[in-house]
Amino acid sequence: MSDVQLADWRNHALTLESEVNKVVVGQQTPIRLITTSIFARGHVLLEGDVGVGKTTLLRAFTRGIGGGYQRIEGTIDLMPNDLVYHTYLGEDGKPHVSPGPLLMSGENLSVFFFNEINRARPQVHSLLLRVMAERSLSAFNTEHYFPHMIVFADRNQVEKEETFEIPSAARDRFMMEIPIVVPNDDAIMEALVFDTKFHNVDALVDTVKPDVLQFDELNAFSSVIQNSIEASDTLKRYALNLWKATKAPLDYGVKVSGVDMNRLVLSGASPRGMSMMLRAARVNAWLNNRNAVLPDDIHAVFHSTIAHRLVFSPVYEMRRTEIAREMLSGIVNAVAAP
């Protein structure tokens, strides 16, 4: 693909970001990371309190890239089949079956949002993880395919009763975990509360320009980005040193306040995690009009692609977010960049 075509796609990607930023204000960093995940074709965990705009954000992106948007709520009584089909009694008094959220859009499913995934049982997680990995599902004696689907999921971080946390091996299937927080800006906070345009989500999402990108072309273009953006040998050695530091941070002089570093890390980043980090870094370089990955591109995606993969001693799990942020920042500062 020519540089002109790469630039044309980049302009469309930046237009998409601009459209979404008009709808979900004060979230420039999460919007850039979601854009990155879309072009890197990776699934995403969203971290944030209730009511910070996660659903609005995903609906806005879906309108901009096209394809189907489906959502399901995690509940204690949710069963794996609820993702696939619904049964009900029709007016004729006979049982009927209708497609569930995974099948409703067919092969045009673009964005699937699992809200409060930790409220659902492990059997449900298992099905979702399989669909994420294979992008296919057998149901009704038919193989169903979801070649363009990206899964987004968030967790209920307030209630601990009747929740089933995603194990570390399952978290590793997600390319990123992206925090969505309330903007710390009085003008934006005031607008969110008092500007009535933010009160009607349907009308707000409808203001996004539709089909800025073509969802069914993203897989092919993602491969083009990965093959077009270079990573030098020096950059590869730098990434390797970052990886080693996630496994043994104390060897690199990294410390976290109030933490016994000898007991902290049970497992560092996985090979899959580092591979996904480089995929995301290449996309970030492309979005910034570069043809090679720089350390800044790795820094832009390092926390979001690595933090959720770290396995800490159980005594530190309750402080996971805080500790991971401080530890990874320490690693970036300790490992010399080329």
Side-chain angles (χ1 to χ4, degrees), residues 71-83:
R71 165 182 168 148
I72 195 166
E73 298 286 332
T75 61
I76 187 69
D77 59 350
L78 190 73
M79 299 299 290
N81 59 275
D82 293 324
L83 275 65

Side-chain angles (χ1 to χ4, degrees), residues 17-18 20-22 24-36 57 61 178-181 183 185 188:
E17 281 191 342
S18 177
V20 177
N21 273 306
K22 294 175 185 176
V24 184
V25 293
Q27 301 291 354
Q28 290 85 352
T29 298
I31 288 171
R32 169 50 62 94
L33 289 172
I34 291 176
T35 302
T36 301
L57 189 59
F61 266 106
I178 301 173
I180 312 290
V181 299
D185 183 298
I188 292 176

Side-chain angles (χ1 to χ4, degrees), residues 54-102:
K54 297 186 288 290
T55 300
T56 305
L57 189 59
L58 297 182
R59 288 181 59 190
F61 266 106
T62 307
R63 182 170 170 84
I65 67 176
Y69 167 84
Q70 298 296 333
R71 165 182 168 148
I72 195 166
E73 298 286 332
T75 61
I76 187 69
D77 59 350
L78 190 73
M79 299 299 290
N81 59 275
D82 293 324
L83 275 65
V84 183
Y85 63 86
H86 299 302
T87 58
Y88 63 97
L89 286 176
E91 294 180 357
D92 56 5
K94 296 180 180 179
H96 293 264
V97 177
S98 62
L102 275 176

Side-chain angles (χ1 to χ4, degrees), residues 225-257:
I225 294 174
Q226 297 302 314
N227 292 327
S228 300
I229 306 301
E230 299 177 355
S232 68
D233 291 340
T234 302
L235 192 284
K236 292 176 183 176
R237 286 194 295 272
Y238 176 59
L240 183 60
N241 288 335
L242 290 175
W243 185 11
K244 291 177 180 177
T246 69
K247 297 174 177 292
L250 197 56
D251 291 352
Y252 290 79
V254 176
K255 296 182 179 180
V256 177
S257 57

Side-chain angles (χ1 to χ4, degrees), residues 202-222:
D202 291 338
L204 190 62
V205 171
D206 284 344
T207 65
V208 174
K209 183 179 178 182
D211 302 325
V212 176
L213 298 169
Q214 298 299 316
F215 75 97
D216 54 358
E217 297 178 1
L218 288 169
N219 287 338
F221 186 68
S222 174

